Amino acid sequence: MSDSLILVVLLLAVSILAFIFYPEKGLLNKWRSIKSNNEKILLEDTLKHLFECEYNSTDCTLTSISGFLSTSQGQSSKIIVKLEEMGLVKPIGTKIYLTPEGKSYALKIIRIHRLWEKHLADNTSIREEEWHTLAELEEHKLTDDEVNRLAAKLGNPLKDPHGDPIPSENGEIPEQKGIELADLKEGDIAKIYHIEDQPLKVFSKLTSLGLSPGMIIKLIEKNKNNIRIECEGEEININPILALNVQVVSISDSEELIESHDTLSNIPVDEEVIIVGLSKSLRGQQRRRLLDFGIVPGTVIKARLKSLSGDPTAYEVRGTTVALRKNQSDKIFIKRKNIV
Amino acid sequence: MKIDTKHDDPIIATANKLRWEVGDYFHDSLIESIYKEAEVISAKVVTTAGKKSQFDFDKFIDRVVTSKWTGFPIMFLLLAAVFWITIIAANYPSGLIASVLVDTIHPLLKNLATSINIPWYINGVLIDGAYLAMAWVISVMLPPMAIFFPIFTLLEDFGYLPRVAFNMDNIYRRVGAHGKQALTMTMGFGCNAAGVIAARIIDSPRERLIAIITNNFSLCNGRWPTQILIATIFIGNLVPPIYGGIASAAAVVSVALLGIFFSLVVSWSLSKTVLKGEASAFSLELPPYRPPRILQTLYTSLIDRTLFVLWRAIIFAIPAGIVIWLVANVNIQGISLAEYFIRFVDPFALFIGLNGVIILAYVIAIPANEIVIPTVLMLTVLVTGVSGVGSGSGVMFELNNIEDVSMLLKAGGWTTLTGINLMLFSLLHNPCSTTIFTIYKETKSWKWTLLATLLPIMMGITICFLVAQLWRIFASV
């Protein structure tokens, strides 16, 4: 009997331990998250929120801050007072602005956040959904020295895995700055960033053509008298003089327009196809391995053999046979030979 | 808020500006253009003579070994053949080496030592301790490794093993590991230290660590004899004599399969927890088949694998031999250190269905699993005071007759539960010191070495405890 008692005690002990140490839902974790919710983090998060408002040219108010931090208005105003005392923010009326010092502080936090996301994407196998949450914690921890070492290790990247720019060590970040539509080369793909609203006549002419900011376009042909673009499946001719008022930006990584949605995983054994691109979600070491095998746009690749259970599949590329898993070949875009 | 184009050095200022324009993916374009250039050059200068034969030999073999119907049978038959050859062919040289090193040279050294009046304790430490442990390790370790590794390497050289990894990858992908782990695991059946070294073939950091940490779940060459002996004595006896052989063989195979099961479960949980932060990248090349280079293979597998591992084992066996002799011979108030320890851990050990002798044997025989049974026998004689067996305290020995072993162990208080739990504990305990050292050498990290060492022993204690409790509950009903 005493033995079964021991068994019960043991099971109880295991469940208590699980209750305390269980990831995300355990007591230990809850206690940690409460503890980490301290003042420094609130201050830094506020600065970050204020910076993002300014970067996107919207106004920040006490309400939006307490919404962002999920705190009460009273607590938020205490934070603002504290930040004002530190000389980091300056309220004007109901709006709150960052001082230059506040701005550089905020950029420092954003730099850590985006570098850490880049690190998680390239050097670990942690899933995409967790990057942001982990970076939110890490951004309050790293020292300047650690951050610079991390950046050097990552090769001083320019963009985080979401395509957002990473501020440099001195807090430099490129402004969302457009170029003239006419400066695009034939075949370039870009996003309309800005349509100048002066003079009004030109503006209404452009809008009547169906153009508006945010649209992704492709330049088909340009000459002295005409610029022809493709936009949402339609071809539009624009007078080069009108086009002077249209500014475009290069599209970010997440928005890339991939013409071919046919992937390597779709082809049957013995079919030969041409690679047109590698998805941006193949990152870090994984991407380098594939490139090293010569899996680059323009390469001819042939499915050779399926494994016993159907995954992975072996492909012939440049004289060698390489096995790829389906979750990899799903991310390699191809075009079929017979369609060409 | 602007790009640093005002840098003192105009070149750096320009570079900073251009960096933002070039973007992060310029490496891709770089590699693409390198391949384009190379293609142009090779098209100009490389000519291929002759035309391809009609029959693609490689393709034929590939079709056969990856087919749904023939793939698995071929794999199992080949691996079974490798093990069978190893076990059968290793018997004879093993006996030969043992008869020379243990039965001939050992008494010779003892006589020599006595004739030149070396004090008995130096004689004991050096000859019964250090020398005997070394001799034992060489005679039981060398022949199987010298047979297993060359055959394995020949299969690798021929090009078959990458196909095994290719076939098995689906299972390993699901547990977050690499198909090549099937190979390092199989290598682990020969020797865990060699399996750990073999994990170099996995180039993805996370998957390589998983393969290294879980390699110990492959029942290595040093543990098979323990399993077979204990199964014969304790499992074979549970059924009518004619089925004894089958029952004990089934028990040993079940333990080995349990090991494979644990290696998959542990791989899965490692990849979901502590190893989440390591990079993962899959790639598996399938080289063309080619006739194996037999001489070169023999040379590299003997030098790189067999002798290398053996040398490390010997280095660890010598101090362990000394310790084994000392614990059995250093007496405090007439009781040896070994007995003190055994009495001290006995309550806990019996509670988890083992006994103090087993625990002590696993502690002091850490250099090689091969000397666990000789140490257990020696300690049992020491504790029970059975006379007429063995060759003196602190001197490891083996008995040729299984009945004698059985009698001795039962005199030491062993039950069927002890036998079953010893089989489980032999599967789930810390790796031998050679393997631990190799894991450190390969990972360069104390963290992973400690994890690989402690994880299996924790599992072993837990499983033995659970089995003992269940056993007692059902036995009392």
Side-chain angles (χ1 to χ4, degrees), chain A residues 17-193:
Chain A
L17 284 180
F19 182 63
I20 296 173
F21 290 104
Y22 199 82
E24 285 164 34
K25 284 179 188 141
L27 274 186
L28 192 71
N29 228 302
K30 285 205 171 134
W31 176 74
R32 255 195 215 146
S33 67
I34 290 167
K35 189 171 161 269
S36 68
N37 213 358
N38 60 25
E39 197 184 49
K40 180 175 181 253
I41 292 175
L42 285 175
L43 292 177
E44 291 182 349
D45 283 346
T46 311
L47 288 175
K48 212 170 63 173
H49 175 65
L50 289 170
F51 176 80
E52 251 141 50
C53 288
E54 287 182 19
Y55 196 67
N56 297 329
S57 321
T58 53
D59 294 327
C60 268
T61 59
L62 207 56
T63 327
S64 75
I65 290 169
S66 33
F68 181 76
L69 299 175
S70 33
T71 55
S72 67
Q73 291 250 355
Q75 204 179 351
S76 309
S77 60
K78 265 186 220 155
I79 291 164
I80 296 299
V81 169
K82 177 103 190 184
L83 284 172
E84 205 184 339
E85 278 167 13
M86 292 162 82
L88 298 174
V89 301
K90 198 170 168 194
I92 299 175
T94 56
K95 294 169 192 167
I96 299 150
Y97 294 97
L98 285 171
T99 63
E101 292 79 22
K103 195 173 271 173
S104 82
Y105 196 140
L107 276 165
K108 205 185 90 185
I109 304 296
I110 290 169
R111 174 172 155 83
I112 305 175
H113 182 100
R114 293 184 179 167
L115 276 172
W116 195 253
E117 285 192 331
K118 177 81 178 162
H119 162 71
L120 293 178
D122 278 11
N123 297 334
T124 73
S125 38
I126 290 168
R127 280 172 307 143
E128 205 165 335
E129 306 91 86
E130 296 175 53
W131 295 343
H132 181 76
T133 327
L134 290 172
E136 283 287 301
L137 293 174
E138 202 65 30
E139 66 189 13
H140 307 294
K141 285 186 203 156
L142 292 187
T143 65
D144 289 356
D145 208 35
E146 284 168 337
V147 175
N148 290 337
R149 252 180 290 146
L150 176 69
K153 207 179 107 196
L154 293 169
N156 291 311
L158 303 169
K159 285 181 176 177
D160 74 0
H162 306 298
D164 294 324
I166 298 172
S168 75
E169 195 186 339
N170 310 323
E172 296 142 1
I173 189 167
E175 276 176 68
Q176 288 255 32
K177 199 172 171 233
I179 56 167
E180 310 262 317
L181 175 62
D183 290 342
L184 289 177
K185 289 191 294 290
E186 283 176 12
D188 279 357
I189 296 168
K191 184 165 75 174
I192 299 179
Y193 163 71

